[in-house]
Amino acid sequence: MLRLRVVCPADQTEAALEVLRGHAGATHLVLLRGAAVDPEGDLITADVAREAVDEVVGALCELRIDRHGGITIETIDTSLSDAADRAQENAPGDGSDAIVWDELIGKTGEESKPSVTFQAFLTISCLLAAVGIATNSTVTLVGAMVVGPEFGPLAAIAVGLVAKRWDLVRRAVAALAIGFPVAIVITSALTWLGARFDLLDRETLLHGTESEFIYQFGPFSLIVALLAGAAGMLSMTSAKSAALVGVFISVTTVPAAGYAALAAVLGVWDRVGPAVAQLGINLIGIVVAAALVLLIRKRGAAEGVSTRPLSRG
């Protein structure tokens, strides 16, 4: 179940209540007249089955409540109620298969913003990858994969393409286009310092068996990226966030960036290109697979329950 908190202009309250009362997936309806101060109006709350949220929010948006008031979607961890059970049973579809587009757009939009925090995480993950490659440490490489924040913008690009939210695509592309070069430059600078203090060994890079998968790209590189992108988007749309950790560990985006920086500093130029190619293959593969998953799920939702246009706002 998800909770809708609706700040509604007083002249639209009855229409909003009619929408919520008339949907089998909505329950626990509460009205507080005059409770909203800015924007001014009434406050309505309702618990809605996940599979019904997109349809209910669409109907409320047709009343332009999102323009003159506000709609907030909140997650309910536990709901002990026969009324909630009935709402979930009566709502069309399955909650685990439902996509709440506004929630997804909001989540990916927040994670795709170019920011100091995003850049810091990406740079730290690249540095961890460089250390893992320099020390031939698989554990450190896995840590770098988990720390890397790049899946957020990649998911945002996929969502933006399917939902035709080009602002989301532009912002996510900017985050990656700025983030990776900056992270690689900083990693190169710090590894150069490490090389000056004899902390890095060129022979380890040349003969490190634990990092060969990073620059040896091929068909399986694309296959893994496609599978990871599909799994990641399924995780995001079904609210099963635990699977995202496996997605982070399975792709070699950040390790490839760290490898390219380290190889350039140590003069192993024949491996810089393959590492960059590995990075590109993973980025493209993840976006393609994530977008395909969304398209398939969008078509399935359209065949079962009507949904509003995704280009709203």
Side-chain angles (χ1 to χ4, degrees), residues 57-85:
V57 171
L60 294 174
C61 289
E62 288 179 2
L63 299 174
R64 300 183 66 80
I65 291 175
D66 58 324
R67 304 295 186 185
H68 306 298
I71 304 171
T72 303
I73 303 174
E74 302 172 343
T75 301
I76 300 175
D77 293 326
T78 305
S79 179
L80 305 177
S81 167
D82 288 346
D85 292 340

PDB file of all heavy atoms in Angstrom, residues 57-85:
ATOM      1  N   VAL A  57      -3.780   8.782  -9.197  1.00  0.00           N
ATOM      2  CA  VAL A  57      -3.040  10.034  -9.333  1.00  0.00           C
ATOM      3  C   VAL A  57      -3.352  10.691 -10.672  1.00  0.00           C
ATOM      4  O   VAL A  57      -3.493  11.918 -10.764  1.00  0.00           O
ATOM      5  CB  VAL A  57      -1.519   9.781  -9.194  1.00  0.00           C
ATOM      6  CG1 VAL A  57      -0.730  11.037  -9.555  1.00  0.00           C
ATOM      7  CG2 VAL A  57      -1.186   9.362  -7.769  1.00  0.00           C
ATOM      8  N   GLY A  58      -3.490   9.886 -11.721  1.00  0.00           N
ATOM      9  CA  GLY A  58      -3.847  10.439 -13.021  1.00  0.00           C
ATOM     10  C   GLY A  58      -5.183  11.157 -12.983  1.00  0.00           C
ATOM     11  O   GLY A  58      -5.337  12.241 -13.560  1.00  0.00           O
ATOM     12  N   ALA A  59      -6.175  10.557 -12.302  1.00  0.00           N
ATOM     13  CA  ALA A  59      -7.492  11.190 -12.200  1.00  0.00           C
ATOM     14  C   ALA A  59      -7.426  12.487 -11.397  1.00  0.00           C
ATOM     15  O   ALA A  59      -8.089  13.480 -11.736  1.00  0.00           O
ATOM     16  CB  ALA A  59      -8.482  10.217 -11.557  1.00  0.00           C
ATOM     17  N   LEU A  60      -6.610  12.502 -10.343  1.00  0.00           N
ATOM     18  CA  LEU A  60      -6.456  13.719  -9.546  1.00  0.00           C
ATOM     19  C   LEU A  60      -5.740  14.810 -10.350  1.00  0.00           C
ATOM     20  O   LEU A  60      -6.065  16.001 -10.233  1.00  0.00           O
ATOM     21  CB  LEU A  60      -5.684  13.418  -8.259  1.00  0.00           C
ATOM     22  CG  LEU A  60      -6.388  12.507  -7.250  1.00  0.00           C
ATOM     23  CD1 LEU A  60      -5.444  12.166  -6.097  1.00  0.00           C
ATOM     24  CD2 LEU A  60      -7.661  13.156  -6.710  1.00  0.00           C
ATOM     25  N   CYS A  61      -4.783  14.402 -11.176  1.00  0.00           N
ATOM     26  CA  CYS A  61      -4.073  15.378 -11.997  1.00  0.00           C
ATOM     27  C   CYS A  61      -4.974  15.965 -13.080  1.00  0.00           C
ATOM     28  O   CYS A  61      -4.791  17.114 -13.497  1.00  0.00           O
ATOM     29  CB  CYS A  61      -2.840  14.739 -12.628  1.00  0.00           C
ATOM     30  SG  CYS A  61      -1.515  14.394 -11.454  1.00  0.00           S
ATOM     31  N   GLU A  62      -5.944  15.182 -13.532  1.00  0.00           N
ATOM     32  CA  GLU A  62      -6.902  15.712 -14.506  1.00  0.00           C
ATOM     33  C   GLU A  62      -7.740  16.841 -13.898  1.00  0.00           C
ATOM     34  O   GLU A  62      -8.250  17.705 -14.619  1.00  0.00           O
ATOM     35  CB  GLU A  62      -7.811  14.591 -15.007  1.00  0.00           C
ATOM     36  CG  GLU A  62      -7.101  13.619 -15.932  1.00  0.00           C
ATOM     37  CD  GLU A  62      -8.002  12.492 -16.396  1.00  0.00           C
ATOM     38  OE1 GLU A  62      -9.206  12.502 -16.015  1.00  0.00           O
ATOM     39  OE2 GLU A  62      -7.526  11.615 -17.136  1.00  0.00           O
ATOM     40  N   LEU A  63      -7.856  16.842 -12.567  1.00  0.00           N
ATOM     41  CA  LEU A  63      -8.540  17.934 -11.857  1.00  0.00           C
ATOM     42  C   LEU A  63      -7.595  19.110 -11.625  1.00  0.00           C
ATOM     43  O   LEU A  63      -8.003  20.102 -11.005  1.00  0.00           O
ATOM     44  CB  LEU A  63      -9.077  17.432 -10.514  1.00  0.00           C
ATOM     45  CG  LEU A  63     -10.107  16.298 -10.571  1.00  0.00           C
ATOM     46  CD1 LEU A  63     -10.430  15.810  -9.151  1.00  0.00           C
ATOM     47  CD2 LEU A  63     -11.374  16.753 -11.276  1.00  0.00           C
ATOM     48  N   ARG A  64      -6.330  18.957 -12.064  1.00  0.00           N
ATOM     49  CA  ARG A  64      -5.288  19.988 -11.932  1.00  0.00           C
ATOM     50  C   ARG A  64      -4.931  20.270 -10.469  1.00  0.00           C
ATOM     51  O   ARG A  64      -4.481  21.358 -10.120  1.00  0.00           O
ATOM     52  CB  ARG A  64      -5.698  21.283 -12.649  1.00  0.00           C
ATOM     53  CG  ARG A  64      -5.945  21.094 -14.140  1.00  0.00           C
ATOM     54  CD  ARG A  64      -6.267  22.392 -14.837  1.00  0.00           C
ATOM     55  NE  ARG A  64      -5.136  23.307 -14.833  1.00  0.00           N
ATOM     56  CZ  ARG A  64      -4.109  23.234 -15.675  1.00  0.00           C
ATOM     57  NH1 ARG A  64      -4.064  22.290 -16.589  1.00  0.00           N
ATOM     58  NH2 ARG A  64      -3.131  24.107 -15.622  1.00  0.00           N
ATOM     59  N   ILE A  65      -5.131  19.266  -9.649  1.00  0.00           N
ATOM     60  CA  ILE A  65      -4.771  19.418  -8.241  1.00  0.00           C
ATOM     61  C   ILE A  65      -3.255  19.531  -8.092  1.00  0.00           C
ATOM     62  O   ILE A  65      -2.757  20.203  -7.186  1.00  0.00           O
ATOM     63  CB  ILE A  65      -5.330  18.244  -7.425  1.00  0.00           C
ATOM     64  CG1 ILE A  65      -6.859  18.340  -7.359  1.00  0.00           C
ATOM     65  CG2 ILE A  65      -4.751  18.221  -6.007  1.00  0.00           C
ATOM     66  CD1 ILE A  65      -7.531  17.177  -6.683  1.00  0.00           C
ATOM     67  N   ASP A  66      -2.512  18.869  -8.996  1.00  0.00           N
ATOM     68  CA  ASP A  66      -1.060  18.973  -8.933  1.00  0.00           C
ATOM     69  C   ASP A  66      -0.576  20.378  -9.265  1.00  0.00           C
ATOM     70  O   ASP A  66       0.543  20.760  -8.897  1.00  0.00           O
ATOM     71  CB  ASP A  66      -0.405  17.951  -9.870  1.00  0.00           C
ATOM     72  CG  ASP A  66      -0.864  18.126 -11.313  1.00  0.00           C
ATOM     73  OD1 ASP A  66      -2.048  18.458 -11.532  1.00  0.00           O
ATOM     74  OD2 ASP A  66      -0.044  17.920 -12.227  1.00  0.00           O
ATOM     75  N   ARG A  67      -1.383  21.164  -9.964  1.00  0.00           N
ATOM     76  CA  ARG A  67      -1.020  22.535 -10.328  1.00  0.00           C
ATOM     77  C   ARG A  67      -1.392  23.531  -9.232  1.00  0.00           C
ATOM     78  O   ARG A  67      -0.629  24.449  -8.930  1.00  0.00           O
ATOM     79  CB  ARG A  67      -1.725  22.936 -11.624  1.00  0.00           C
ATOM     80  CG  ARG A  67      -1.474  22.017 -12.806  1.00  0.00           C
ATOM     81  CD  ARG A  67      -0.033  22.046 -13.239  1.00  0.00           C
ATOM     82  NE  ARG A  67       0.161  21.271 -14.456  1.00  0.00           N
ATOM     83  CZ  ARG A  67       1.355  21.051 -15.006  1.00  0.00           C
ATOM     84  NH1 ARG A  67       2.444  21.547 -14.444  1.00  0.00           N
ATOM     85  NH2 ARG A  67       1.443  20.336 -16.114  1.00  0.00           N
ATOM     86  N   HIS A  68      -2.565  23.344  -8.662  1.00  0.00           N
ATOM     87  CA  HIS A  68      -3.084  24.328  -7.711  1.00  0.00           C
ATOM     88  C   HIS A  68      -2.995  23.858  -6.259  1.00  0.00           C
ATOM     89  O   HIS A  68      -3.312  24.619  -5.351  1.00  0.00           O
ATOM     90  CB  HIS A  68      -4.541  24.658  -8.046  1.00  0.00           C
ATOM     91  CG  HIS A  68      -4.742  25.103  -9.455  1.00  0.00           C
ATOM     92  ND1 HIS A  68      -4.151  26.245  -9.963  1.00  0.00           N
ATOM     93  CD2 HIS A  68      -5.428  24.553 -10.495  1.00  0.00           C
ATOM     94  CE1 HIS A  68      -4.475  26.393 -11.234  1.00  0.00           C
ATOM     95  NE2 HIS A  68      -5.246  25.377 -11.587  1.00  0.00           N
ATOM     96  N   GLY A  69      -2.589  22.633  -6.055  1.00  0.00           N
ATOM     97  CA  GLY A  69      -2.414  22.099  -4.707  1.00  0.00           C
ATOM     98  C   GLY A  69      -1.149  21.260  -4.655  1.00  0.00           C
ATOM     99  O   GLY A  69      -0.066  21.750  -4.951  1.00  0.00           O
ATOM    100  N   GLY A  70      -1.289  19.992  -4.346  1.00  0.00           N
ATOM    101  CA  GLY A  70      -0.122  19.111  -4.318  1.00  0.00           C
ATOM    102  C   GLY A  70      -0.520  17.687  -4.001  1.00  0.00           C
ATOM    103  O   GLY A  70      -1.519  17.452  -3.302  1.00  0.00           O
ATOM    104  N   ILE A  71       0.253  16.738  -4.538  1.00  0.00           N
ATOM    105  CA  ILE A  71       0.022  15.314  -4.288  1.00  0.00           C
ATOM    106  C   ILE A  71       1.343  14.694  -3.855  1.00  0.00           C
ATOM    107  O   ILE A  71       2.345  14.795  -4.568  1.00  0.00           O
ATOM    108  CB  ILE A  71      -0.501  14.594  -5.549  1.00  0.00           C
ATOM    109  CG1 ILE A  71      -1.774  15.262  -6.060  1.00  0.00           C
ATOM    110  CG2 ILE A  71      -0.754  13.117  -5.259  1.00  0.00           C
ATOM    111  CD1 ILE A  71      -2.224  14.754  -7.422  1.00  0.00           C
ATOM    112  N   THR A  72       1.345  14.076  -2.694  1.00  0.00           N
ATOM    113  CA  THR A  72       2.534  13.419  -2.174  1.00  0.00           C
ATOM    114  C   THR A  72       2.271  11.925  -2.073  1.00  0.00           C
ATOM    115  O   THR A  72       1.207  11.510  -1.605  1.00  0.00           O
ATOM    116  CB  THR A  72       2.906  13.963  -0.783  1.00  0.00           C
ATOM    117  OG1 THR A  72       3.084  15.375  -0.863  1.00  0.00           O
ATOM    118  CG2 THR A  72       4.187  13.326  -0.275  1.00  0.00           C
ATOM    119  N   ILE A  73       3.244  11.126  -2.518  1.00  0.00           N
ATOM    120  CA  ILE A  73       3.129   9.670  -2.449  1.00  0.00           C
ATOM    121  C   ILE A  73       4.119   9.167  -1.406  1.00  0.00           C
ATOM    122  O   ILE A  73       5.318   9.433  -1.492  1.00  0.00           O
ATOM    123  CB  ILE A  73       3.423   9.021  -3.814  1.00  0.00           C
ATOM    124  CG1 ILE A  73       2.479   9.576  -4.880  1.00  0.00           C
ATOM    125  CG2 ILE A  73       3.316   7.506  -3.729  1.00  0.00           C
ATOM    126  CD1 ILE A  73       2.793   9.097  -6.292  1.00  0.00           C
ATOM    127  N   GLU A  74       3.620   8.437  -0.420  1.00  0.00           N
ATOM    128  CA  GLU A  74       4.455   7.938   0.668  1.00  0.00           C
ATOM    129  C   GLU A  74       4.333   6.419   0.759  1.00  0.00           C
ATOM    130  O   GLU A  74       3.271   5.850   0.489  1.00  0.00           O
ATOM    131  CB  GLU A  74       4.033   8.562   2.002  1.00  0.00           C
ATOM    132  CG  GLU A  74       4.103  10.085   2.022  1.00  0.00           C
ATOM    133  CD  GLU A  74       3.496  10.680   3.273  1.00  0.00           C
ATOM    134  OE1 GLU A  74       2.739   9.945   3.959  1.00  0.00           O
ATOM    135  OE2 GLU A  74       3.764  11.847   3.574  1.00  0.00           O
ATOM    136  N   THR A  75       5.415   5.774   1.167  1.00  0.00           N
ATOM    137  CA  THR A  75       5.418   4.318   1.326  1.00  0.00           C
ATOM    138  C   THR A  75       4.896   3.934   2.701  1.00  0.00           C
ATOM    139  O   THR A  75       5.248   4.555   3.708  1.00  0.00           O
ATOM    140  CB  THR A  75       6.835   3.757   1.145  1.00  0.00           C
ATOM    141  OG1 THR A  75       7.313   4.116  -0.163  1.00  0.00           O
ATOM    142  CG2 THR A  75       6.853   2.253   1.283  1.00  0.00           C
ATOM    143  N   ILE A  76       4.058   2.918   2.740  1.00  0.00           N
ATOM    144  CA  ILE A  76       3.566   2.364   4.007  1.00  0.00           C
ATOM    145  C   ILE A  76       4.268   1.030   4.220  1.00  0.00           C
ATOM    146  O   ILE A  76       4.112   0.100   3.422  1.00  0.00           O
ATOM    147  CB  ILE A  76       2.039   2.163   3.977  1.00  0.00           C
ATOM    148  CG1 ILE A  76       1.328   3.495   3.748  1.00  0.00           C
ATOM    149  CG2 ILE A  76       1.559   1.525   5.271  1.00  0.00           C
ATOM    150  CD1 ILE A  76      -0.164   3.353   3.597  1.00  0.00           C
ATOM    151  N   ASP A  77       5.031   0.914   5.279  1.00  0.00           N
ATOM    152  CA  ASP A  77       5.756  -0.328   5.532  1.00  0.00           C
ATOM    153  C   ASP A  77       4.827  -1.447   5.998  1.00  0.00           C
ATOM    154  O   ASP A  77       4.957  -2.591   5.571  1.00  0.00           O
ATOM    155  CB  ASP A  77       6.855  -0.094   6.572  1.00  0.00           C
ATOM    156  CG  ASP A  77       7.951   0.817   6.041  1.00  0.00           C
ATOM    157  OD1 ASP A  77       8.244   0.754   4.835  1.00  0.00           O
ATOM    158  OD2 ASP A  77       8.498   1.608   6.829  1.00  0.00           O
ATOM    159  N   THR A  78       3.900  -1.121   6.881  1.00  0.00           N
ATOM    160  CA  THR A  78       2.994  -2.125   7.430  1.00  0.00           C
ATOM    161  C   THR A  78       1.601  -1.538   7.554  1.00  0.00           C
ATOM    162  O   THR A  78       1.443  -0.413   8.039  1.00  0.00           O
ATOM    163  CB  THR A  78       3.456  -2.610   8.820  1.00  0.00           C
ATOM    164  OG1 THR A  78       4.812  -3.071   8.725  1.00  0.00           O
ATOM    165  CG2 THR A  78       2.576  -3.744   9.322  1.00  0.00           C
ATOM    166  N   SER A  79       0.594  -2.307   7.139  1.00  0.00           N
ATOM    167  CA  SER A  79      -0.792  -1.869   7.264  1.00  0.00           C
ATOM    168  C   SER A  79      -1.624  -3.042   7.768  1.00  0.00           C
ATOM    169  O   SER A  79      -1.758  -4.060   7.084  1.00  0.00           O
ATOM    170  CB  SER A  79      -1.332  -1.380   5.913  1.00  0.00           C
ATOM    171  OG  SER A  79      -2.678  -0.968   6.032  1.00  0.00           O
ATOM    172  N   LEU A  80      -2.169  -2.906   8.978  1.00  0.00           N
ATOM    173  CA  LEU A  80      -2.996  -3.948   9.578  1.00  0.00           C
ATOM    174  C   LEU A  80      -4.446  -3.515   9.462  1.00  0.00           C
ATOM    175  O   LEU A  80      -4.946  -2.755  10.301  1.00  0.00           O
ATOM    176  CB  LEU A  80      -2.601  -4.173  11.037  1.00  0.00           C
ATOM    177  CG  LEU A  80      -1.120  -4.506  11.284  1.00  0.00           C
ATOM    178  CD1 LEU A  80      -0.843  -4.644  12.776  1.00  0.00           C
ATOM    179  CD2 LEU A  80      -0.727  -5.779  10.550  1.00  0.00           C
ATOM    180  N   SER A  81      -5.123  -3.964   8.428  1.00  0.00           N
ATOM    181  CA  SER A  81      -6.479  -3.490   8.165  1.00  0.00           C
ATOM    182  C   SER A  81      -7.176  -4.414   7.181  1.00  0.00           C
ATOM    183  O   SER A  81      -6.621  -4.720   6.117  1.00  0.00           O
ATOM    184  CB  SER A  81      -6.437  -2.064   7.602  1.00  0.00           C
ATOM    185  OG  SER A  81      -7.680  -1.687   7.061  1.00  0.00           O
ATOM    186  N   ASP A  82      -8.388  -4.829   7.524  1.00  0.00           N
ATOM    187  CA  ASP A  82      -9.184  -5.613   6.582  1.00  0.00           C
ATOM    188  C   ASP A  82      -9.562  -4.764   5.380  1.00  0.00           C
ATOM    189  O   ASP A  82      -9.637  -5.267   4.251  1.00  0.00           O
ATOM    190  CB  ASP A  82     -10.456  -6.130   7.269  1.00  0.00           C
ATOM    191  CG  ASP A  82     -10.164  -7.240   8.269  1.00  0.00           C
ATOM    192  OD1 ASP A  82      -9.043  -7.790   8.233  1.00  0.00           O
ATOM    193  OD2 ASP A  82     -11.045  -7.553   9.093  1.00  0.00           O
ATOM    194  N   ALA A  83      -9.794  -3.463   5.622  1.00  0.00           N
ATOM    195  CA  ALA A  83     -10.147  -2.572   4.519  1.00  0.00           C
ATOM    196  C   ALA A  83      -8.994  -2.468   3.531  1.00  0.00           C
ATOM    197  O   ALA A  83      -9.197  -2.455   2.308  1.00  0.00           O
ATOM    198  CB  ALA A  83     -10.509  -1.189   5.062  1.00  0.00           C
ATOM    199  N   ALA A  84      -7.757  -2.404   4.046  1.00  0.00           N
ATOM    200  CA  ALA A  84      -6.591  -2.346   3.162  1.00  0.00           C
ATOM    201  C   ALA A  84      -6.433  -3.650   2.386  1.00  0.00           C
ATOM    202  O   ALA A  84      -6.094  -3.644   1.198  1.00  0.00           O
ATOM    203  CB  ALA A  84      -5.336  -2.055   3.974  1.00  0.00           C
ATOM    204  N   ASP A  85      -6.697  -4.777   3.060  1.00  0.00           N
ATOM    205  CA  ASP A  85      -6.619  -6.070   2.374  1.00  0.00           C
ATOM    206  C   ASP A  85      -7.639  -6.143   1.236  1.00  0.00           C
ATOM    207  O   ASP A  85      -7.332  -6.633   0.141  1.00  0.00           O
ATOM    208  CB  ASP A  85      -6.858  -7.207   3.366  1.00  0.00           C
ATOM    209  CG  ASP A  85      -5.733  -7.334   4.385  1.00  0.00           C
ATOM    210  OD1 ASP A  85      -4.631  -6.825   4.108  1.00  0.00           O
ATOM    211  OD2 ASP A  85      -5.975  -7.936   5.444  1.00  0.00           O
TER     212      ASP A  85
END
